[in-house]
Amino acid sequence: MLTKGDDYPIHQTAEPVAYAGTDRNFYDRYFFNGYAPDGETFFAVAFGVYPHLNVADAHLSVVTGGVQHCLHASALLSDRMDLRVGPIRIEVLEPLQRLKVVVEAAEGLAAEITFEGRAFPIEEPRFIRRNGTRAFMDYTRLTQNVRCTGWVEVDGERREIDGWFGSRDRSWGIRPVGAPDPQPPVPQTVSGFFWQWTPLNFSDRSVFFHVNADPDGRPWNTRAVILPDGAGPDAGWETPGARMEDVVLIPGTRHARTARLAIPLEQGEARIGFEPFLTFLMRGVGYGGEWRHGGYKGELAVAREDIVLAQTNMVAPENWHIQALSRVTLETPGGAPQQGLGVFEQLIAGPYRPYGL
């Protein structure tokens, strides 16, 4: 059960706030993204705390003109209710409904963005995966599509973002964070990791789908939800039977060129076609690379990174994890097709036999 306390980084386990415990890899994280209606600009923000590592970090990353501009910040963790790391801070204006990100000017980047939920957030099924006897993942996540207001600025060029759509999530629990474990469990039982996540914005509704699967394509965590605007905590429609079909990979990569999502309905089947057109590298907000989540950088470190996407080797493992901004078309039985925008997040690490990887 989600409560207002779940929008603050005070969790101790993969359970809601009422439950507590300890683990070296415990984390508590915010993630936000937003995109222009024309798809020309995409941004994301991440903010995480790692209580047992005594580290907090935050990131702003903006794609415009084919370049991903990243601002990274890392600091020693102080008060977990002080949602600031260097120039980046989060304000919880109304838990589970309105949050604000402020990025004070640093290294040529700045932002002030308010995110307002289109409906009550969904609580995804608890993610539990073990590597032998040790918990590899054990976390809870809420996800919410949002409307954005405010602005983002790169090198003095400010862009108003009022009316943009996006998504946010809050997750807490156990994932690998910080430095790799010097003594991993043996024998290793996690041979690959497959992940797809698709929060989609249409004019009057949101559609959510995710799947974690093993290397043979067997899902171990999956769900789809269709949520009309303004829906409360008990509204919407969901099914565990959704599936991603007709995935065509970009040759030589682990990223989709096109795909189609099928969602069973009582009156038939909804189908959503994906046309990815902009690539956002998740390492730009700390998912791997030099600024990986929970990495120790000293008392305070702030740096900028610029990534020219056309010159980036998308085959390299550090670039496997992406969000592909996509034009999407929703077709439902008896209804007219609807156009929308959303992300198609993808991470395929190791073998995935259904795609020939």
Side-chain angles (χ1 to χ4, degrees):
M1 182 181 71
L2 298 176
T3 65
K4 292 182 178 180
D6 291 311
D7 236 344
Y8 294 90
I10 56 177
H11 297 93
Q12 296 295 321
T13 72
E15 303 284 2
V17 175
Y19 306 93
T22 59
D23 190 285
R24 179 264 187 201
N25 281 334
F26 183 84
Y27 77 98
D28 214 331
R29 180 173 303 141
Y30 297 84
F31 174 84
F32 307 83
N33 68 23
Y35 30 86
D38 61 9
E40 291 298 315
T41 300
F42 180 101
F43 70 83
V45 177
F47 185 109
V49 299
Y50 316 91
H52 299 290
L53 302 180
N54 200 34
V55 169
D57 50 33
H59 312 263
L60 166 68
S61 194
V62 183
V63 175
T64 186
V67 179
Q68 186 167 332
H69 308 278
C70 312
L71 178 66
H72 306 291
S74 176
L76 294 179
L77 178 61
S78 56
D79 185 343
R80 290 178 65 182
M81 295 297 290
D82 181 9
L83 305 182
R84 174 190 292 269
V85 179
I88 303 173
R89 74 175 189 269
I90 294 175
E91 301 174 8
V92 180
L93 304 178
E94 182 182 347
L96 302 181
Q97 182 59 28
R98 293 176 60 242
L99 290 87
K100 185 176 183 180
V101 171
V102 177
V103 182
E104 298 170 355
E107 304 288 336
L109 281 83
E112 186 171 315
I113 310 163
T114 298
F115 301 87
E116 183 162 4
R118 299 186 63 182
F120 194 83
I122 65 169
E123 179 182 347
E124 296 174 351
R126 184 170 169 179
F127 294 79
I128 302 177
R129 192 72 166 169
R130 293 191 178 275
N131 190 2
T133 58
R134 188 179 305 179
F136 173 69
M137 285 184 164
D138 184 3
Y139 68 91
T140 291
R141 185 167 72 170
L142 66 83
T143 298
Q144 184 177 45
N145 278 358
V146 295
R147 294 183 176 87
C148 307
T149 56
W151 51 269
V152 294
E153 184 174 297
V154 178
D155 294 330
E157 183 176 343
R158 179 173 295 191
R159 183 154 190 188
E160 302 294 328
I161 64 171
D162 292 4
W164 292 18
F165 283 134
S167 304
R168 77 174 188 103
D169 72 44
R170 284 275 297 111
S171 65
W172 58 90
I174 299 167
R175 287 182 186 174
V177 296
D181 193 326
Q183 184 173 331
V186 290
Q188 292 281 330
T189 61
V190 176
S191 59
F193 188 81
F194 178 86
W195 169 247
Q196 293 176 336
W197 183 56
T198 65
L200 309 177
N201 280 285
F202 296 92
S203 61
D204 63 348
R205 73 193 70 182
S206 298
V207 177
F208 305 94
F209 168 75
H210 76 266
V211 60
N212 273 128
D214 69 17
D216 290 317
R218 292 185 293 261
W220 56 266
N221 192 305
T222 185
R223 187 187 187 202
V225 178
I226 299 175
L227 206 59
D229 274 7
D234 299 319
W237 182 91
E238 65 177 275
T239 178
R243 61 199 182 277
M244 194 67 74
E245 300 178 330
D246 304 326
V247 176
V248 177
L249 298 182
I250 299 170
T253 77
R254 292 169 176 253
H255 304 148
R257 171 178 286 167
T258 59
R260 187 175 298 275
L261 174 63
I263 304 177
L265 303 173
E266 291 181 359
Q267 68 274 30
E269 188 171 75
R271 299 181 67 82
I272 301 174
F274 288 77
E275 298 178 16
F277 66 94
L278 179 150
T279 298
F280 177 87
L281 300 176
M282 291 296 282
R283 68 180 173 91
V285 287
Y287 288 81
E290 179 185 352
W291 290 86
R292 63 174 295 165
H293 292 144
Y296 176 61
K297 294 287 187 180
E299 185 174 354
L300 176 64
V302 178
R304 175 169 170 169
E305 177 185 16
D306 290 322
I307 306 167
V308 180
L309 294 169
Q311 299 174 10
T312 298
N313 179 13
M314 295 298 176
V315 178
E318 65 267 23
N319 299 321
W320 287 350
H321 192 182
I322 68 167
Q323 287 193 346
L325 184 59
S326 304
R327 298 181 182 91
V328 288
T329 303
L330 169 64
E331 298 177 290
T332 55
Q338 290 192 46
Q339 307 300 315
L341 278 177
V343 300
F344 185 3
E345 183 171 327
Q346 305 161 59
L347 172 58
I348 309 174
Y352 189 66
R353 284 173 271 279
Y355 292 176
L357 299 174

